[in-house]
Amino acid sequence: MSAEIKISGLNQFYGKKQVLKDINLNIGTGMFALLGRNGAGKTTLMRVLATLLPVSRGVVTVCGIPISMEAQIRRITGYLPQEFSFYANMTVYEAMDYLGVLSGLSKADRQEKIPDLLAKVNLLTKKKVKVGALSGGMKRRLGIAQAILHEPKVLIVDEPTAGLDAEERVRFRNLLSEIAGDRIVILSTHIIADIEASCERIAVLEEGEIIYNGTVSDMLRLAEGKIYSAQIKKTDLPGIKAKYPITSMVSSGNHVSLRLISDEKPFEGACLCEAGIEDAYMYLMQDKRGAI
Amino acid sequence: MMFPSLFLNECRQTLKCKTYYIIIICMLIFFISQLSAFDMINKPEPNQESYGFTFSSDERLIMETALQVLIGEYNANRYVTYPIGFYKEVTLSEKKQAKMLEIIREISGLDEDELKAAYESNGINPGVSAEQAKLSIAEDISYERFMELMKQADKLLGGGSMYRKSYIKYIARVPASFNEALQAYNDIIYKERLTGAYARLFCDYLGIVLAILPVFLAVTRALRDKRGGANQVIFSKKAGSASIILSRYLSTVLMIMLPVLAIAGYLSVQFLYYGANEGIDVDVFAFFKYSLFWLLPAVMISSSVGIFLTELTQTAIAIVAMGIWWFVSMSVADLGGGYGWNLIPRHNTIGNYQVFIDNFKILVLNRIGYSLLAILLAAAAVLVYDLKRRGKLAIYGKRASNIKGKP
C-alpha cells in the first residue's frame, strides 16, 4: 500500500458553482500544508479527502484506495474539522471513549491508548472535565487526540490554529510536528506562521486553483531578489502603496518601515532583502492577480 | 464487536439524558393516576342484586338510548366528549344547537315543544328507556340513517362524543344476567388466568403514553450531534451508518421498555401474591407477554418516526408529526376492543375476553404491521444518515456534511 495521496484532475462543484479547479497533487508522508485565504477551497478539499464530500470530477486515491471506498478510507484517516466540538455534557474521557468505539477500537485498546493520548496532548488532568467547559485550545487538543486515536496513516487537520492565542498556536504546531512521524499529515491554514514552523511541503490554493505546489524553500526562492525593505516618511506611504504590493509595515513616529515586492529597485534608499515565507506568499498572490 | 460497544455506550448516554427521566416520570404519573389500584373481580353468586352491565346489540335499543342521551344533553346544552381520550364538556352555539335539534327531530319525529314536554314530564335519566319516557323512534328511520345522523352530531361536537361510530355500539347498557356474569368471570379466571385480562387494561393505558413519549427521546438523541457540533467528527469515523443509527434506535427502544417491564414485573408480583391467597392459577408472564406484544410496536414506531424525521430534517418536526398521529389515533380509538389499524389499540375494560378473541387476528396484524413499519423507518434513517455522511444529501440546500451545528 503506497503511503501517498494522489489527486488528479479534481474539480469540485456546489451546484453550478465551481469551488475546486483541476487540482493535481501528490502528497507523501510528513507535514503538508495547504495555504490559502478564507474561501479559497481548502476546507472543500479537506472534506473530499475525509470522504465527507463526493468527488464531482477527477480521481483521488488515498494510500492506493479510491476515495469512493469510504469505509476503507475512514479506517486509515483521522480528521479534525475546522470547528471541532463534541457533546458538551460528556467528559473528556467519555468523548474519547465514544469516538474510540466509533473508530472500532476494542475496550482494552481504548483503556490503554486514551490515557496515553490525553497525556500527550496535555489533557490527562482534564479527563473528568466536561467538553463544554474546555477552552478553545483544549478542545482543539482533544480534537487532535481523537483524530489519532486509531493510529491513522493519514491525518487531515483543517485550520487547527484559527482562533487560538499565540501560546496555544505554538503548542499546537509543536504537537502536530511531534505526532506526524511517518504519517501523511495535511494541514490547511491561512496563517502563514503555521507553515514556516512545521511544514516542508506546501500547496497554495487561490480561488479553487493550485497556484504553487512545492517545498517551502523553493517558494522562498521564487521571491528571491524581489523583496525590498525601506524606511519612508508617512506622507510618502500612499504613493508607494499605490505602486508596490506591501508585505509588511511598522510605523514609528513620522516614519514607516516596510517591505515591498518589486522586480527592480523601487526607489533610492530601498534595500534588497532576504524573502520570508510571508513575502513569498504575497508575491505568489500578487503574481496570480497580475499586479507585478 | 463494534455494535455491542456502541449500543452499550448509547444506553449509558441515555442514562445521563434529562429527557429520559422526564419520560419515566410522565409514564409513572400516568400509571399511578390511572392504574395503581385495580378493581379485583369477584365471583358472581346467585340472587345478587346486580351483575353489572353488558352492552346490547339490539339496533332499536341502541337508537332509543342514544336518542334519550342526546335529548338530555341537548336540553342542558352540555355534551360530554373525549376528544383525545380525556374528558371535555362541550356547549354548542345557538346555530349548532339548532342543527342538533334537527337531528333529534329526524330521529324522534317530534317537534321542539313535544321534546321538551317529554323530557320535563318524564324526568328522563340514564335509567329510563325511551319507551318509558314515552319517546319513540320515528317509524321510517333506518339504522343506517340513524348512524349518519349520529356522525353529524359527533361532528357538531368536535369529535370524541358518545355518538361517534366507535362508541355508539356501547351506548345501550343493559343489566347482565347471572350466567353472563359467571361466563365473564370464568373467562378471566380460567382462560386468561387472571393476569391476561388485567395486562390488557395495563396495555390499554400505557399504550396511550408509549405511542408519543419515545419520540421525544429519539429526537433528543438525533439532534444531539447537531447541537454538539459533532456531525463531521462522527461522519469521518470508521463505524458504519447502520451501526451508528441502529445502536441509537435500539438503545432508545430498550431504555423506554425497561421501566415498562419493571412496572410489568411489579404488577406480576402483586397478582402472583393475590392469586396465591385466592387459590387462582395466575399467568406470571402475562404482563411481560402483553407488554412486548402490545406496547413494544408503539415504542418502536414512535422512536423510528423520531429518528427518521430528525435525521432527514435536522429539526424536531418528528414531535409534531407524531403528535398529530397520536391525536388522530386517540380521537378515533374504539375503547372496547375494535382495534382495527389504530396505532393505539384500546381495550378499556377488565375482561371482555370474547371481543379480544374475536379481534385477535386483526390485533396481531396491527402489531406486526406497525413493527414492520418501524423497522422500515429505522432502515430509511440509516440510508438518510449514510447519504448525509457522504455529502450526497442536501438539507435546505445545504449539504449535511457542511452543517457545523453549534461549535
Side-chain angles (χ1 to χ4, degrees):
Chain A
M1 196 184 277
S2 65
E4 192 177 27
I5 293 175
K6 289 184 181 173
I7 303 170
S8 149
L10 176 66
N11 287 276
Q12 206 60 25
F13 298 85
Y14 285 135
K16 285 182 182 168
K17 191 186 170 197
Q18 187 164 10
V19 284
L20 291 178
K21 295 168 192 165
D22 200 27
I23 306 288
N24 294 286
L25 281 175
N26 284 345
I27 305 169
T29 51
M31 295 269 282
F32 181 89
L34 203 55
L35 182 65
R37 292 186 294 177
N38 287 331
K42 301 184 300 292
T43 296
T44 300
L45 182 53
M46 303 296 254
R47 284 187 182 158
V48 168
L49 295 176
T51 72
L52 300 179
L53 281 178
V55 170
S56 304
R57 206 165 64 217
V59 179
V60 180
T61 60
V62 178
C63 299
I65 304 166
I67 199 80
S68 56
M69 299 173 79
E70 293 107 346
Q72 289 192 42
I73 300 278
R74 285 172 192 153
R75 279 169 215 261
I76 58 163
T77 52
Y79 176 57
L80 173 60
Q82 194 172 348
E83 287 168 352
F84 173 77
S85 188
F86 209 65
Y87 306 143
N89 67 341
M90 260 191 182
T91 66
V92 166
Y93 191 92
E94 286 167 345
M96 285 290 282
D97 190 60
Y98 181 57
L99 290 165
V101 174
L102 288 169
S103 297
L105 296 182
S106 67
K107 192 175 180 182
D109 274 351
R110 297 197 307 273
Q111 282 174 340
E112 187 193 326
K113 285 178 182 171
I114 292 171
D116 285 352
L117 267 176
L118 288 179
K120 201 168 194 172
V121 298
N122 208 14
L123 282 176
L124 192 57
T125 54
K126 307 278 181 191
K127 69 177 185 179
K128 287 181 182 168
V129 173
K130 296 265 164 74
V131 172
L134 295 180
S135 69
M138 288 176 187
K139 270 190 193 163
R140 225 56 75 86
R141 279 187 268 142
L142 174 63
I144 202 72
Q146 65 78 28
I148 58 171
L149 185 55
H150 59 300
E151 296 179 357
K153 286 189 168 70
V154 179
L155 183 59
I156 302 163
V157 192
D158 194 3
E159 297 272 8
T161 58
L164 297 187
D165 61 38
E167 194 188 338
E168 276 285 6
R169 210 154 61 214
V170 172
R171 261 171 114 171
F172 200 86
R173 280 200 308 246
N174 294 342
L175 179 65
L176 270 182
S177 304
E178 201 184 318
I179 59 176
D182 55 359
R183 290 189 175 100
I184 302 170
V185 180
I186 308 169
L187 156 85
S188 86
T189 185
H190 64 276
I191 301 165
I192 294 161
D194 287 348
I195 292 160
E196 206 166 19
S198 53
C199 295
E200 212 178 283
R201 288 202 59 215
I202 178 174
V204 178
L205 204 56
E206 171 67 1
E207 290 176 350
E209 285 179 84
I210 298 281
I211 59 169
Y212 177 79
N213 177 21
T215 61
V216 173
S217 45
D218 281 347
M219 190 166 123
L220 290 172
R221 226 165 281 139
L222 284 177
E224 222 168 67
K226 293 179 173 74
I227 309 298
Y228 289 84
S229 67
Q231 193 173 48
I232 59 164
K233 284 181 189 166
K234 257 189 181 167
T235 48
D236 295 337
L237 186 61
I240 290 172
K241 263 175 94 174
K243 221 167 160 189
Y244 305 100
I246 311 288
T247 64
S248 72
M249 195 162 65
V250 180
S251 286
S252 169
N254 287 331
H255 288 84
V256 178
S257 296
L258 52 75
R259 288 163 77 92
L260 56 81
I261 303 170
S262 176
D263 283 338
E264 54 198 34
K265 189 170 183 175
F267 47 80
E268 209 49 52
C271 303
L272 193 63
C273 61
E274 202 177 323
I277 193 163
E278 226 161 298
D279 301 317
Y281 175 70
M282 288 301 286
Y283 173 76
L284 272 172
M285 302 304 274
Q286 297 300 325
D287 192 35
K288 158 86 179 160
R289 287 181 205 144
I292 43 177
Chain B
M1 287 303 285
M2 189 186 288
F3 184 81
S5 302
L6 263 179
F7 176 75
L8 289 175
N9 207 301
E10 291 295 338
C11 291
R12 275 200 294 273
Q13 286 188 47
T14 305
L15 285 173
K16 291 181 180 175
C17 177
K18 282 179 200 154
T19 310
Y20 180 56
Y21 293 100
I22 294 170
I23 286 172
I24 292 180
I25 290 167
C26 289
M27 209 188 294
L28 285 176
I29 289 173
F30 194 77
F31 168 71
I32 292 164
S33 64
Q34 303 288 338
L35 273 170
S36 59
F38 283 117
D39 292 329
M40 298 311 288
I41 187 166
N42 294 314
K43 188 174 182 178
E45 299 293 340
N47 303 319
Q48 256 181 229
E49 200 174 297
S50 166
Y51 297 105
F53 288 94
T54 185
F55 302 111
S56 171
S57 56
D58 181 335
E59 289 179 355
R60 187 164 179 84
L61 191 59
I62 288 172
M63 288 196 282
E64 281 179 357
T65 314
L67 176 64
Q68 176 194 336
V69 175
L70 182 56
I71 291 171
E73 291 196 325
Y74 168 80
N75 280 320
N77 194 8
R78 275 209 313 266
Y79 300 86
V80 173
T81 66
Y82 291 85
I84 50 167
F86 297 101
Y87 179 85
K88 185 187 172 191
E89 219 170 68
V90 174
T91 301
L92 291 182
S93 64
E94 271 186 36
K95 203 174 159 188
K96 285 187 175 175
Q97 273 285 76
K99 283 184 183 170
M100 194 64 93
L101 180 62
E102 282 304 311
I103 291 170
I104 294 169
R105 284 173 65 175
E106 191 175 338
I107 298 170
S108 66
L110 301 176
D111 65 22
E112 192 175 3
D113 290 339
E114 288 171 322
L115 284 167
K116 268 196 174 155
Y119 180 75
E120 282 161 12
S121 62
N122 295 295
I124 297 170
N125 62 58
V128 178
S129 73
E131 199 178 0
Q132 286 170 307
K134 292 175 187 161
L135 275 176
S136 59
I137 303 296
E139 278 179 13
D140 56 344
I141 192 163
S142 66
Y143 189 67
E144 286 69 32
R145 177 61 187 156
F146 164 79
M147 287 303 284
E148 275 173 35
L149 292 168
M150 288 293 97
K151 192 177 171 186
Q152 287 174 24
D154 185 54
K155 200 174 170 189
L156 280 174
L157 295 167
S161 72
M162 285 187 273
Y163 316 111
R164 67 186 188 273
K165 193 182 172 188
S166 58
Y167 187 82
I168 200 84
K169 58 190 171 192
Y170 305 116
I171 205 162
R173 287 205 309 176
V174 290
S177 67
F178 169 72
N179 285 339
E180 283 170 331
L182 189 63
Q183 177 68 47
Y185 176 81
N186 286 338
D187 282 349
I188 289 173
I189 300 299
Y190 300 110
K191 290 183 180 166
E192 310 224 57
R193 293 170 65 196
L194 190 64
T195 41
Y198 287 89
R200 266 202 309 279
L201 189 64
F202 167 72
C203 290
D204 172 69
Y205 281 115
L206 262 282
I208 294 171
V209 283
L210 289 174
I212 185 74
L213 290 180
V215 76
F216 290 93
L217 189 61
V219 168
T220 303
R221 178 62 192 97
L223 279 180
R224 209 164 162 221
D225 287 358
K226 186 186 170 193
R227 282 206 321 266
N231 267 331
Q232 289 181 45
V233 175
I234 296 174
F235 283 172
S236 70
K237 294 295 176 191
K238 177 188 163 189
S241 301
S243 293
I244 295 173
I245 292 300
L246 294 181
S247 63
R248 293 176 182 185
Y249 174 64
L250 293 176
S251 67
T252 302
V253 171
L254 175 77
M255 296 307 282
I256 293 285
M257 283 306 289
L258 281 181
V260 175
L261 295 174
I263 299 171
Y266 163 76
L267 292 173
S268 300
V269 171
Q270 279 201 330
F271 274 87
L272 194 64
Y273 182 72
Y274 177 81
N277 279 346
E278 299 292 321
I280 300 168
D281 175 28
V282 166
D283 180 357
V284 187
F285 299 106
F287 281 99
F288 295 104
K289 286 190 283 190
Y290 271 91
S291 296
L292 294 175
F293 163 70
W294 198 303
L295 300 177
L296 179 60
V299 175
M300 286 170 69
I301 275 285
S302 189
S303 305
S304 63
V305 166
I307 210 153
F308 169 69
L309 286 181
T310 311
E311 287 303 340
L312 186 66
T313 65
Q314 292 284 291
T315 67
I317 191 88
I319 292 173
V320 178
M322 203 62 230
I324 292 169
W325 191 357
W326 181 83
F327 182 85
V328 171
S329 301
M330 285 295 290
S331 305
V332 300
D334 177 347
L335 294 176
Y339 314 120
W341 282 97
N342 199 316
L343 173 65
I344 310 166
R346 304 293 310 271
H347 193 105
N348 198 238
T349 49
I350 297 166
N352 213 4
Y353 179 69
Q354 196 52 48
V355 171
F356 172 66
I357 290 299
D358 291 346
N359 292 289
F360 184 68
K361 199 174 166 187
I362 185 72
L363 181 64
V364 171
L365 288 175
N366 172 314
R367 297 291 84 182
I368 290 174
Y370 279 117
S371 301
L372 290 176
L373 180 61
I375 291 167
L376 275 178
L377 283 171
V382 172
L383 184 68
V384 165
Y385 188 81
D386 199 56
L387 289 174
K388 277 164 56 180
R389 203 176 173 190
R390 289 188 284 153
K392 288 183 178 171
L393 185 71
I395 297 165
Y396 308 129
K398 207 171 178 184
R399 283 174 201 271
S401 50
N402 284 349
I403 295 171
K404 290 169 191 156
K406 208 165 73 179

